[in-house]
Amino acid sequence: RLSMARTSALTALAALALCATACHAVAPSLSAGDAPVLHLRGGQQKAVKKVGILTAGGLAPCLSSAIGVLIEEYTLYDPSIEIICYVDGYKGLLKGEHLKVGANERSLAPVLYTRGGSIIGNSRVKLTNVADCVKRGLVKEGEDPQKVAADQLVADGVDVLHTIGGDDTNTAAAALAAFLQANSYPLTVVGMPKTVDNDVVPIWLSLGAWTAAEQGTIFFKNVVNEHSASPRMLIVHEVMGRDCGWLTAATARMYREDLKTQQMIPSMGLTRDRLDIHAVYVPEGEFDVEAEGKRLKEIMHKTGNINIFISEGAGVANIIKELEAEGKTVPRDAFGHAKLDSVNVGKYYGDKLGAMMGAEKVLVQKSGYFARSAAPNSQDLKLIKDCGLKAVESAVMGISGVIGHDEDTPDLELRAIEFERIAGGKQFNVEEKWFTAMLTEIGQKHPAQIPHFDKKGNAHPIKKTVSGMIDAKIKMAK
């Protein structure tokens, strides 16, 4: 059964890599006794008594469904295992607020497969940011948030904690486990990678990322029609992605592939060049604003409108420097990240480029909240179910880590990846063949890769190209 699950995962991932058309679907519920986790082989199984689940960080199209998968798999494995869900992520853990998953909730777990958002709530809390936790009333003055969280887990009798979130969420959980281990309380922590940016190292595809790209496509298929509301319109589609441009690039690719299938009526003004994307800017790609302004101005004269896709983090460092030089303060969150809504990348470059090309109107539209709050598409749901099964398997075997397809293994093995190897900020590779081919088609110069660095000065890794391996797996499957 585990071999079949692995084959299923590879087939689903292959479909993702080839931009398969996705639709919402719910896999049939397993019957009691049919859980693949029952067929574990090897290793020492852990006697799991109580499981805690929390979601944290921003939303992604996987949170509620991942909760549903975990509940269903644990119930099928051993219905006597207690399950609680902490309300609003680490905030609920600090405050001791949780929901108990009873028999009725267990029977309805598959309902969550078609729900977006997080039914148990999220929050952005950094346990090591003591001042912020005190300010928000999450802990008292003089208390250590990490110890408060650890004490709560002990008080609740949790021996397995599942965290569904990005790198910050999962590394915080790992630190909790280490703290408890040092105090003779064994806690297995198994995370599931959530981020629409697809920027978690060394995970090939994070949960919800593909759905976010699909939803961004749906969003722009409507917004693009606004070009007919005003002559010489510049539409800027701002896509989520602080440091990684994968989502912007994938959304642009999916949109253009869909556009190629649509029938046009040129004699009545319905032309592909007016609906096409004319520029794609990502954080990892260097672009000359002046040169782009001139290029886009020529296209504007021909088509009468311009459509741009831009990551919310593209060129953001330069904008922040400019704002701070003017004496302005850029708000930051508990993790020290600049709040991108205050930077407003889309408006900044929209105004600059709009003036250069003589746009009569600049329309900036952000698809982030629309895309990230969606329910998972069928491909993502398959990935979530496979990762959820592996998460329960790892928990039962007492193996901590973050579940994902490990890019550093020969065959993208789905496994519990060691916490010390988990990091954010993975860069999109602007030399990907499909990306450079797309830029060539729209007449945009291929950008040079801009290296990104963490706070310690280490360069963020560049996402590896694995399409050849996926193609090989498809041939093997046939």
Side-chain angles (χ1 to χ4, degrees), residues 331-411:
R332 296 181 181 273
D333 63 19
F335 294 91
H337 305 312
K339 293 186 176 181
L340 295 178
D341 282 347
S342 64
V343 178
N344 217 336
V345 168
K347 184 178 187 308
Y348 179 88
Y349 286 108
D351 289 344
K352 270 186 176 295
L353 292 169
M356 293 177 186
M357 66 182 72
E360 290 187 17
K361 182 177 180 179
V362 177
L363 177 66
V364 180
Q365 292 290 291
K366 303 180 181 184
S367 62
Y369 294 123
F370 177 89
R372 77 177 196 173
S373 59
N377 63 22
S378 58
Q379 277 82 7
D380 248 325
L381 185 55
K382 289 178 183 177
L383 179 61
I384 293 165
K385 289 175 76 69
D386 286 340
C387 287
L389 174 58
K390 179 61 70 172
V392 174
E393 173 189 308
S394 297
V396 170
M397 304 301 286
I399 302 172
S400 293
V402 179
I403 304 301
H405 289 84
D406 192 340
E407 286 188 323
D408 294 333
T409 58
D411 59 351

Side-chain angles (χ1 to χ4, degrees), residues 76-367:
L76 291 170
Y77 173 66
D78 183 353
S80 71
I81 295 175
E82 292 184 66
I83 304 173
I84 61 173
C85 296
Y86 288 101
V87 178
D88 297 332
Y90 284 112
K91 173 180 176 290
L93 178 56
L94 290 172
K95 304 293 286 185
E97 299 170 350
H98 67 257
L99 304 172
K100 184 176 180 179
V101 179
N104 184 54
E105 291 79 19
R106 290 171 189 257
S107 68
L108 295 173
V111 171
L112 301 182
Y113 296 166
T114 59
R115 302 304 304 178
S118 171
I119 60 161
I120 59 177
N122 276 25
S123 63
R124 290 186 180 276
V125 176
K126 187 174 184 179
L127 297 178
T128 55
N129 190 337
V130 180
D132 182 67
C133 289
V134 171
K135 180 182 178 182
R136 295 164 65 179
L138 302 179
V139 297
K140 298 175 182 178
E141 190 74 47
E143 287 185 324
D144 177 359
Q146 192 174 62
K147 186 177 186 306
V148 172
D151 289 345
Q152 188 62 54
L153 288 168
V154 174
D156 291 336
V158 171
D159 46 19
V160 171
L161 178 65
H162 286 289
T163 52
I164 309 168
D167 60 296
D168 288 327
T169 297
N170 288 307
T171 52
L176 264 181
F179 181 88
L180 286 166
Q181 188 69 43
N183 289 275
S184 302
Y185 185 89
L187 176 71
T188 300
V189 179
V190 183
M192 294 176 70
K194 171 271 332 169
T195 166
V196 296
D197 300 358
N198 195 25
D199 67 343
V200 179
V201 179
I203 293 171
W204 180 61
L205 187 65
S206 56
L207 308 183
W210 198 253
T211 300
E214 179 185 80
Q215 290 295 319
T217 296
I218 294 170
F219 177 89
F220 194 71
K221 283 177 69 174
N222 284 354
V223 170
V224 71
N225 296 312
E226 283 292 325
H227 80 267
S228 61
S230 176
R232 298 184 68 82
M233 169 88 81
L234 165 60
I235 300 179
V236 180
H237 179 194
E238 185 179 307
V239 183
M240 282 190 164
R242 177 184 297 277
D243 296 311
C244 182
W246 180 90
L247 181 58
T248 302
T251 305
R253 181 191 188 189
M254 189 178 293
Y255 173 80
R256 295 192 75 249
E257 290 302 312
D258 180 81
L259 180 62
K260 291 174 182 178
T261 68
Q262 297 176 29
Q263 188 170 1
M264 300 291 122
I265 312 177
S267 59
M268 296 190 67
L270 182 59
T271 60
R272 191 164 283 107
D273 57 356
R274 300 199 72 184
L275 301 175
D276 205 349
I277 300 169
H278 305 107
V280 181
Y281 305 127
V282 296
E284 301 89 344
E286 190 173 11
F287 61 97
D288 185 328
V289 178
E290 296 293 331
E292 279 295 278
K294 292 178 181 178
R295 180 181 74 86
L296 295 173
K297 184 176 182 179
E298 292 181 7
I299 298 175
M300 175 72 88
H301 287 326
K302 296 177 183 177
T303 63
N305 70 291
I306 292 291
N307 303 313
I308 293 175
F309 275 41
I310 187 169
S311 299
E312 63 180 351
V316 72
N318 292 331
I319 300 175
I320 291 175
K321 285 181 182 178
E322 203 173 288
L323 292 173
E324 291 178 340
E326 295 172 358
K328 298 177 181 178
T329 301
V330 178
R332 296 181 181 273
D333 63 19
F335 294 91
H337 305 312
K339 293 186 176 181
L340 295 178
D341 282 347
S342 64
V343 178
N344 217 336
V345 168
K347 184 178 187 308
Y348 179 88
Y349 286 108
D351 289 344
K352 270 186 176 295
L353 292 169
M356 293 177 186
M357 66 182 72
E360 290 187 17
K361 182 177 180 179
V362 177
L363 177 66
V364 180
Q365 292 290 291
K366 303 180 181 184
S367 62

Side-chain angles (χ1 to χ4, degrees), residues 396-439:
V396 170
M397 304 301 286
I399 302 172
S400 293
V402 179
I403 304 301
H405 289 84
D406 192 340
E407 286 188 323
D408 294 333
T409 58
D411 59 351
L412 290 182
E413 180 186 354
L414 181 62
R415 58 186 299 273
I417 301 171
E418 298 76 11
F419 280 110
E420 58 268 25
R421 295 176 55 215
I422 298 296
K426 177 170 59 178
Q427 295 189 68
F428 170 64
N429 184 2
V430 297
E431 294 181 359
E432 286 272 9
K433 290 183 179 179
W434 63 265
F435 183 65
T436 56
M438 178 171 65
L439 296 188

